[in-house]
Amino acid sequence: MVFIYFKEPVYQGVPRYMLFVHLLINDFVQAALCVFLFLNACLQGTMLLSVCSVIVLLSACTSMNTPLTLAVMSLERYVAICFPLHHVQLCTVNRGYISVALIWLLGILPCISDICIAYTYGPPGYFQRYFNCRRSLFIILPSQSTKQAALNALYFSSIWAVVIYTYLQILLTARKAACDKSSASKGQRTVLLHGVQLVLSMSFFIYPLTEYFLVGQPQEVTRHVFFFNYYVTLVLPRCLTPLIYGVRDENFKRHLKQYLCLCPKKVQPLGSN
């Protein structure tokens, strides 16, 4: 799908597809880093903490980017359906770039603050030591856990407010006789699926709870539960992204048939709106 986006001109310059491809690339990077950290933890590998800090920073940032991008994509669908006459003026390419930049800025702030605190208050030579790479190595002060919980609550409550608001507004618009029923219904389903993705993304916070309940359990049980958490909270949400915005999109569906089936006939895409 990323190849199709950069190959076909019909997708370029459309903010909706720009956000979708950003989400695909972000999820790919996040999944690759999580697989690496998961295998490294299983093999009890160690690495220099300064190198670990870069990996953890990218992993945490891309993990937070996913719900933030979903919120922006919900807002784009809200504008497209509730304000169709102003969609072209409000949702421009430049604003799409600005949105992506803000997503990365908001996503990187929580983790980079922890790394800076660990570098400042950690023991001498702390970042030159070798550890099994994990996020908890950068939690030095008790206040960091409180800060992390407060930021998570602020981020996800704001994201949920955006998703619920856009869903309700699209639902109300869909009931009006003047609107495009099929477009509104599809946008409503899209935002609802974004909510499902958010639920799966937020299930990442069950990790500390499972660690608490698994204390004293056999190692075999612990290993199975951790793998189940890893699959449900990290792998499954990333699999939904290409299904929600890729396979369901008529343009992508047509080009996927062309490239996957190696059809020699050129595909005529639908309109980008």
Side-chain angles (χ1 to χ4, degrees):
M1 289 182 181
V2 174
F3 172 79
I4 291 174
Y5 172 81
F6 289 105
K7 181 72 174 178
E8 299 295 335
V10 68
Y11 303 108
Q12 299 170 16
V14 181
R16 175 163 63 102
Y17 293 123
M18 181 193 305
L19 291 170
F20 167 62
V21 170
H22 168 259
L23 185 60
L24 279 180
I25 297 174
N26 178 84
D27 285 354
F28 171 77
V29 173
Q30 202 269 342
L33 291 174
C34 285
V35 168
F36 173 76
L37 291 174
F38 182 79
L39 293 176
N40 184 70
C42 291
L43 298 174
Q44 297 297 316
T46 60
M47 68 177 67
L48 199 65
L49 190 62
S50 57
V51 177
C52 173
S53 65
V54 177
I55 297 175
V56 168
L57 178 64
L58 283 175
S59 177
C61 179
T62 51
S63 180
M64 187 60 70
N65 284 352
T66 298
L68 290 171
T69 307
L70 291 174
V72 176
M73 294 173 78
S74 297
L75 284 174
E76 189 276 334
R77 286 293 83 199
Y78 162 70
V79 174
I81 294 170
C82 298
F83 304 97
L85 299 179
H86 302 284
H87 180 253
V88 177
Q89 291 79 16
L90 294 175
C91 299
T92 62
V93 176
N94 289 333
R95 289 181 179 177
Y97 288 128
I98 293 173
S99 299
V100 171
L102 288 176
I103 287 169
W104 278 89
L105 177 62
L106 293 174
I108 204 172
L109 284 178
C111 187
I112 201 171
S113 62
D114 287 333
I115 294 176
C116 292
I117 292 173
Y119 184 82
T120 304
Y121 293 96
Y126 185 56
F127 275 70
Q128 301 304 316
R129 301 179 186 178
Y130 286 82
F131 297 94
N132 185 283
C133 188
R134 58 189 185 275
R135 174 76 181 271
S136 59
L137 293 172
F138 304 98
I139 307 299
I140 303 295
L141 305 177
S143 58
Q144 286 180 264
S145 299
T146 305
K147 178 206 61 130
Q148 184 176 351
L151 283 177
N152 287 335
L154 176 63
Y155 275 36
F156 278 95
S157 60
S158 302
I159 292 168
W160 270 113
V162 170
V163 171
I164 293 174
Y165 175 79
T166 53
Y167 177 80
L168 292 177
Q169 289 298 317
I170 293 174
L171 180 63
L172 293 175
T173 304
R175 294 182 176 180
K176 295 180 181 179
C179 74
D180 184 352
K181 296 291 185 180
S182 61
S183 176
S185 179
K186 188 174 181 180
Q188 182 182 337
R189 290 195 301 269
T190 300
V191 176
L192 184 60
L193 288 171
H194 286 170
V196 175
Q197 279 186 285
L198 281 177
V199 171
L200 292 174
S201 299
M202 289 181 66
S203 61
F204 178 79
F205 298 108
I206 70 175
Y207 264 112
L209 186 62
T210 55
E211 289 179 357
Y212 174 79
F213 284 109
L214 288 175
V215 174
Q217 296 294 325
Q219 186 176 3
E220 190 69 21
V221 175
T222 303
R223 188 182 301 114
H224 285 304
V225 173
F226 281 156
F227 180 78
F228 176 79
N229 287 343
Y230 163 78
Y231 179 79
V232 171
T233 62
L234 296 177
V235 177
L236 188 58
R238 273 75 198 170
C239 296
L240 291 177
T241 300
L243 296 177
I244 293 175
Y245 252 93
V247 178
R248 292 177 66 245
D249 185 270
E250 293 298 329
N251 284 336
F252 266 109
K253 188 183 298 183
R254 289 173 175 233
H255 282 109
L256 281 172
K257 289 179 180 179
Q258 176 194 2
Y259 286 101
L260 295 180
C261 300
L262 300 178
C263 300
K265 187 178 179 180
K266 184 66 177 177
V267 172
Q268 295 297 328
L270 300 176
S272 60
N273 292 332

